[in-house]
Amino acid sequence: MTTPRTAETREILDLLSARGKALEELYCRADSVRQQHMGDEIFLRGIIEFSNLCSNDCLYCGIRVSNRDVRRYTMAADEIVAHARELPARGQTTVVLQAGESPVFGDDELGEVIRRIKRETTLAVTVSVGNRPLPVYRYWRECGMDRYLLRFETSDPELFRRLHPDCSLDERVECLRHLRALGVQVGSGFMIGLPGETVETLAANILLCRNLDLDMIGIGPYIPHPGTPLGDAPNVYRDDPEMFFRAIAVLRLFNPDAHIPATTAFDAVFPGSGRDLALQRGANVFMPNTTPVEFRRDYQLYPGKPCVDEDASQCATCVLHRIEALGRKPGAGPGHSRKSAGKTPQ
Ligand code: SAM
Ligand code: FES
């Protein structure tokens, strides 16, 4: 038995089918809602992919444990902190510490890195290292962690189960609840066009973001990686890639106050222009890659990832030019959540 569609689902499905003039109107509306609620600043969050070790086996992910072709690396704590120290001078007011899901880089060690960055810089600290027990999140929060990114990937529990041998959708949503209860600013999101999803899944993903009342929402096209079991499984919207932008525009309409990054995967699908277009269709955050250049090729979640040969300062200069060309300006402050302002640790 299929569940009847709600009025909101019907509205989203209608918007996701926009073409021609209706599509232009959708993009205009999304851009003006972004402008009204989030302003013209584009917040820069420098991302350091500090380790590609992962003990999980997500079926789509290039750094899954079963991909033996990956040269594994983990940056030293001193190296991470040294790279973070360089960000404020480049206009980047947040550091995002991202890695696979692995116990190798200890919870205590990461806590110490967070503490040092908070002590030695003005940066807001975002962490993105997957599902962890509540006491670990609490400890990182005490160390000064401001935000956490953990995508739910898909709102369809059965599809989630097929793609993730290591955890369930309920467990992931539980992690998001724990983080919220600790007063951490919470980011989540999903991939667009996973094999096995339908446009109804996409509508449900957008509604789940709204229902979770997220502070930040990262979404991006799914891109098949040849070293994974889904290597031959194309994106559902391969013949209609405009859907990636419709999704971001509708996401903005349903989440007017959330920070929405123009994620890197948009540039992989539309080289050189994807992230700029996303910023004109609802997004307000850019995450320049700050990973040392010698590790970038080893953190390939999907093929075609941009900027693998540029170093952090080249990426920083490039992003400032892109922002200027859009007639926008880099965010001056940390770009904390519009929803939980004042709740971040000192
Ligand atoms: N381990 C952390 C976690 O799981 O949240 C952070 C790293 S994880 C590799 C970062 C994100 O990359 C995932 O949430 C997923 O959405 C995205 N990703 C992985 N493989 C991808 C693919 N083939 N295409 C597009 N995005 C992908
Ligand atoms: Fe690393 Fe999924 S494969 S978190």
Side-chain angles (χ1 to χ4, degrees), residues 52-66 72 99-102 129-131 153 163-166 172 301:
N52 66 357
L53 285 169
C54 193
S55 36
N56 285 359
D57 230 358
C58 307
L59 264 66
Y60 46 80
C61 182
I63 61 167
R64 66 201 297 267
V65 64
S66 298
R72 302 287 167 172
E101 206 164 314
S102 158
V129 297
N131 291 23
E153 316 292 3
L163 298 177
H164 303 97
D166 308 286
R172 189 142 304 181
L301 311 176

Side-chain angles (χ1 to χ4, degrees), residues 84-244:
R85 273 204 217 102
E86 292 172 8
L87 302 194
R90 300 186 185 131
Q92 297 172 25
T93 53
T94 294
V95 62
V96 182
L97 303 174
Q98 194 181 80
E101 206 164 314
S102 158
V104 170
F105 198 96
D107 298 335
D108 291 347
E109 206 176 352
L110 183 52
E112 198 43 42
V113 167
I114 298 168
R115 226 187 263 286
R116 283 179 61 191
I117 294 175
K118 292 303 286 184
R119 207 168 42 219
E120 298 172 29
T121 75
T122 52
L123 293 166
V125 175
T126 301
V127 178
S128 175
V129 297
N131 291 23
R132 286 293 218 276
L134 172 62
V136 175
Y137 288 148
R138 182 181 297 119
Y139 167 61
W140 291 339
R141 173 72 168 149
E142 286 160 7
C143 292
M145 173 173 83
D146 299 283
R147 314 186 190 127
Y148 203 89
L149 298 181
L150 181 65
R151 288 185 179 179
F152 60 77
E153 316 292 3
T154 175
S155 60
D156 175 342
E158 178 50 29
L159 179 59
F160 189 102
R161 196 189 56 74
R162 290 206 301 273
L163 298 177
H164 303 97
D166 308 286
C167 83
S168 70
L169 179 60
D170 282 348
E171 284 164 350
R172 189 142 304 181
V173 171
E174 183 70 3
C175 285
L176 296 173
R177 296 224 162 87
H178 285 162
L179 289 158
R180 166 63 42 89
L182 292 169
V184 175
Q185 296 169 47
V186 178
S188 190
F190 57 88
M191 279 176 280
I192 314 161
L194 282 168
E197 76 172 48
T198 64
V199 71
E200 307 254 350
T201 320
L202 178 50
N205 290 346
I206 292 170
L207 281 176
L208 181 56
C209 288
R210 203 271 316 269
N211 295 345
L212 289 170
D213 192 22
L214 298 168
D215 300 297
M216 295 100 63
I217 310 173
I219 70 171
Y222 150 75
I223 300 167
H225 187 297
T228 68
L230 295 187
D232 292 327
N235 189 297
V236 167
Y237 303 111
R238 181 181 47 174
D239 298 326
D240 180 19
E242 198 68 34
M243 189 59 113
F244 307 137

